[in-house]
Amino acid sequence: MSGGEVAGILVAVFWAILVSFLAVVLVRLAQVLKATTKLVADVTEQAVPLLADASTTVRSARTQLDRVDAIASDVQEVTSNASALSSTVASTFGGPLVKVAAFGYGVRKALGKSTEAAPQKTSRRTVIVGRTVPAARRRKQKG
């Protein structure tokens, strides 16, 4: 064998090893790509329903917020109506009620003075263990 033949065989062996190595790398790369494709398909298969559920939840929350907003505006309207009604009642009946109360107080005072002018004698009684004792006996018991 001459030196050129040996060199040719070495180059051929080198190229065979290189091609085998590249074939193994390409097979592994094909397996990785296949696994990646399957993973992406699974994620897509699960993500689409999740996104649909999230979209439904967001729509439901928006509807509920719209309802709460409507309730809050109704409560605000009722509060303003109640405030207006109370101020109307106060201005309508407040003055006359104060006058009637003052008149009633004056009448009671006037009637109270006329009864004070003629004092009535009331007998005082004391209750001792369920019995009523006249004032005369009470004085005897005290002293």
Side-chain angles (χ1 to χ4, degrees):
M1 269 193 165
S2 69
E5 290 178 9
V6 174
I9 291 176
L10 283 175
V11 169
V13 168
F14 173 75
W15 278 107
I17 292 172
L18 182 66
V19 167
S20 298
F21 177 73
L22 286 176
V24 169
V25 169
L26 287 175
V27 167
R28 296 276 172 115
L29 182 63
Q31 289 174 348
V32 168
L33 287 175
K34 188 176 181 180
T36 304
T37 303
K38 185 176 187 286
L39 179 67
V40 167
D42 290 345
V43 167
T44 303
E45 183 180 311
Q46 292 177 1
V48 170
L50 287 176
L51 289 174
D53 289 346
S55 176
T56 303
T57 303
V58 167
R59 277 193 221 107
S60 174
R62 188 174 188 179
T63 303
Q64 295 300 325
L65 285 175
D66 289 343
R67 289 179 183 169
V68 168
D69 188 37
I71 290 170
S73 65
D74 290 345
V75 167
Q76 184 178 8
E77 184 178 339
V78 167
T79 303
S80 64
N81 288 344
S83 175
L85 179 64
S86 69
S87 64
T88 301
V89 167
S91 65
T92 303
F93 296 112
L97 285 177
V98 168
K99 290 177 184 176
V100 167
F103 178 74
Y105 179 74
V107 168
R108 280 195 310 263
K109 280 294 191 180
L111 291 176
K113 287 185 179 181
S114 68
T115 58
E116 285 179 11
Q120 298 176 355
K121 186 173 181 180
T122 59
S123 67
R124 292 186 158 191
R125 296 180 182 257
T126 303
V127 176
I128 299 176
V129 191
R131 294 185 308 166
T132 303
V133 179
R137 281 185 58 194
R138 197 172 12 161
R139 283 189 213 117
K140 288 180 187 177
Q141 288 175 354
K142 284 184 182 177

